[in-house]
Amino acid sequence: MLLEKIEAMLKEVSTITASNAEEIEQLRLKYLSKKGEINALMQDFRNVAADEKKTVGMKINELKQLATTRINELKEQCEMKEEEADAPDLTRTPYPITLGTRHPLTIVKNEIIDIFQRMGFTLAEGPEIDDDLHVFTKLNFAADHPARDMQDTFFVETNPNDVAKNVILRSHTSNDQAHYMETHQPPIRVICPGRVYRNEAISARAHCFFHQVEGLYVDKNVSFTDLKQVLLSFAREMFGPDTKIRLRPSYFPFTEPSAEMDISCHICGGKGCGFCKHTGWVEILGCGMVDPNVLEACGIDSTIYTGYAFGMGVERITNLKYRVADLRMFSENDVRFLREFEAAY
C-alpha cells in the first residue's frame, strides 16, 4: 500500500511546474518541509514489515531526491527568466527615442477639412487610380481636351476602342465628386481630399504629384452667392478675420460660370510685397457653379438642382501659411525640415 502511494507521488513530482518563485516555494513546502508529504511517508515507514523496509526505504529516498532535483531545476529556470528580463535589449534603438510629428501637408489638410466639416460638409474619398469616364468624361471634358493628352496625364492602361475606359492616375480629386453624385441624390455637401498626379517636370514650383481638397454642394436653389459666402468664411478661418477675397472670371470644363479666388496678402496686409508680386492679392483656389452637363451625366436632374464646386491645392495653402519656398521639400522627408512643424498642431 505504501509502495503504491510512493509510486503515485513519483509520477506527480516528475510533472510539477511553476511560473514564479512563490509557486516554487509552495512546492518545496508541500514535498520537502518537516510537515511535507515526503516526511509524512517517513512516519509511515516505521510500520513497514522488516523484509520490505529496504525496498520501501530506497523508493522514499528516490522520491526525495527527485523532488529536490525537480525543485532546483524550477528555481534555475525562474532565475534565468528574471535575468533575461533584466538584460538590455541590444536590438532596440538608442535612447532617447525621438518622437515624430505630423507632416505639414497633413496638418494643413486636416485644418481645411475641419473648417468645412464645421460648415456641414461630410468627407468623401475615392480612388487614385480611376477610369477616364469619372476623371474626365462625366466632368464635361471634351474628347480632345489637352488634359487627356500624355503630356499632362499618367496613363496606366489605354483602351483604343473606348477612351472612357482608359485607366489613369487621377489629375484632380473631382473624380470623387463624380462617383459620389452617381450613388447619392441631393442634397449633397461633400469635401474630397486626396493625392493627384500630373505629368509635369519637378521643380521648386511644380511636382508630378501633389494634394488637393475639393468641395461640392448640390441642392435646390444653390446660387453663386452661397459659394462666395462659404469661401469667404473659409478664408477668414484659415488666414485670419481681416482677410478679404476677390473672384476673377475663369474657365473650367465642369463649372459654368467659373472663377478663381484670390485672398488679400496676409504678409503685407494687401499693401504689396515680393510674396504677392506687389499686387496685394494671392490666388488660392478655383471655383464655380456645377455645369448642368455634369449633373445630368451623374444622374441628377439639372432642371431641379443646381450646385457649386471648388478646389484648392494643399501645397499652395501650406506655402501661404508657412512660406515654404520649394515644393520639393514636402516630399524629401528631411527631418530638419519636418521638425520645424512640431508645434504646428
Side-chain angles (χ1 to χ4, degrees):
M1 185 72 176
L2 186 57
L3 277 174
E4 292 178 358
K5 190 175 181 180
I6 294 171
E7 290 291 346
M9 289 186 66
L10 281 168
K11 291 181 180 179
E12 181 181 322
V13 170
S14 66
T15 59
I16 60 174
T17 59
S19 58
N20 54 56
E22 184 179 347
E23 292 179 1
I24 294 171
E25 179 61 16
Q26 292 298 323
L27 291 172
R28 188 192 69 79
L29 294 173
K30 177 180 179 181
Y31 294 109
L32 299 174
S33 67
K34 289 184 179 181
K35 295 182 180 181
E37 295 182 7
I38 295 177
N39 199 49
L41 292 176
M42 297 298 292
Q43 301 298 323
D44 296 336
F45 180 70
R46 298 172 182 176
N47 302 321
V48 175
D51 59 338
E52 294 181 354
K53 279 187 179 291
K54 181 178 180 180
T55 304
V56 175
M58 291 176 63
K59 281 293 183 181
I60 291 175
N61 287 334
E62 180 184 348
L63 174 60
K64 186 174 182 180
Q65 183 63 40
L66 177 62
T68 302
T69 302
R70 183 61 186 151
I71 289 172
N72 287 336
E73 288 175 352
L74 292 174
K75 285 182 179 179
E76 291 178 3
Q77 292 174 7
C78 185
E79 290 172 357
M80 288 179 63
K81 288 181 179 178
E82 290 177 354
E83 290 177 0
E84 290 175 358
D86 294 336
D89 183 359
L90 299 180
T91 64
R92 294 182 66 177
T93 56
Y95 292 94
I97 298 175
T98 304
L99 296 178
T101 180
R102 291 190 187 276
H103 194 280
L105 294 180
T106 302
I107 296 171
V108 173
K109 181 193 73 174
N110 290 344
E111 187 175 355
I112 294 170
I113 293 172
D114 178 65
I115 291 171
F116 283 108
Q117 284 185 327
R118 284 189 273 116
M119 295 185 196
F121 288 79
T122 57
L123 196 63
E125 297 180 290
E128 293 183 14
I129 302 176
D130 208 348
D131 54 33
D132 182 288
L133 179 66
H134 292 90
V135 178
F136 294 128
T137 304
K138 283 183 177 289
L139 297 174
N140 203 37
F141 280 78
D144 58 352
H145 195 281
R148 297 176 184 265
D149 191 75
M150 289 289 288
Q151 298 299 318
D152 195 48
T153 302
F154 287 106
F155 284 77
V156 177
E157 181 180 319
T158 58
N159 190 321
N161 299 321
D162 190 351
V163 174
K165 293 182 180 179
N166 285 342
V167 179
I168 59 180
L169 297 181
R170 65 181 181 185
S171 56
H172 47 206
T173 55
S174 302
N175 68 316
D176 296 350
Q177 300 176 15
H179 282 288
Y180 197 89
M181 285 189 285
E182 278 185 334
T183 55
H184 298 77
Q185 282 296 307
I188 294 171
R189 194 194 296 254
V190 293
I191 194 82
C192 306
R195 179 180 291 184
V196 300
Y197 306 84
R198 293 182 187 174
N199 192 3
E200 297 182 4
I202 298 174
S203 67
R205 300 177 61 86
H207 211 292
C208 62
F209 68 85
F210 52 99
H211 302 78
Q212 285 186 337
V213 176
E214 298 197 21
L216 172 71
Y217 178 39
V218 180
D219 203 349
K220 295 179 180 177
N221 302 317
V222 176
S223 68
F224 203 96
T225 302
D226 299 324
L227 170 62
K228 181 180 179 180
Q229 185 58 47
V230 164
L231 296 181
L232 176 61
S233 298
F234 163 72
R236 289 180 173 174
E237 284 277 343
M238 178 63 71
F239 299 104
D242 296 327
T243 304
K244 298 182 177 65
I245 68 169
R246 71 176 184 183
L247 298 171
R248 294 178 288 103
S250 186
Y251 167 77
F252 304 109
F254 37 88
T255 55
E256 179 58 40
S258 302
E260 290 181 340
M261 188 181 92
D262 303 331
I263 63 169
S264 54
C265 182
H266 63 290
I267 296 173
C268 64
K271 297 178 181 179
C273 64
F275 188 81
C276 63
K277 300 179 182 179
H278 301 283
T279 64
W281 297 93
V282 181
E283 178 193 339
I284 66 166
L285 59 82
C287 60
M289 300 300 294
V290 180
D291 192 296
N293 292 335
V294 174
L295 296 175
E296 294 292 342
C298 295
I300 296 175
D301 191 342
S302 62
T303 63
I304 300 175
Y305 298 103
T306 55
Y308 63 69
F310 56 85
M312 67 193 76
V314 179
E315 281 85 349
R316 179 66 170 166
I317 304 296
T318 307
N319 278 344
L320 292 174
K321 284 184 69 70
Y322 301 117
R323 301 182 68 179
V324 179
D326 193 332
L327 285 178
R328 292 169 293 191
M329 297 179 72
F330 290 130
S331 55
E332 289 177 348
N333 292 324
D334 187 327
V335 294
R336 296 169 299 178
F337 170 71
L338 297 177
R339 283 180 187 144
E340 295 179 14
F341 299 90
E342 289 178 351
Y345 68 98

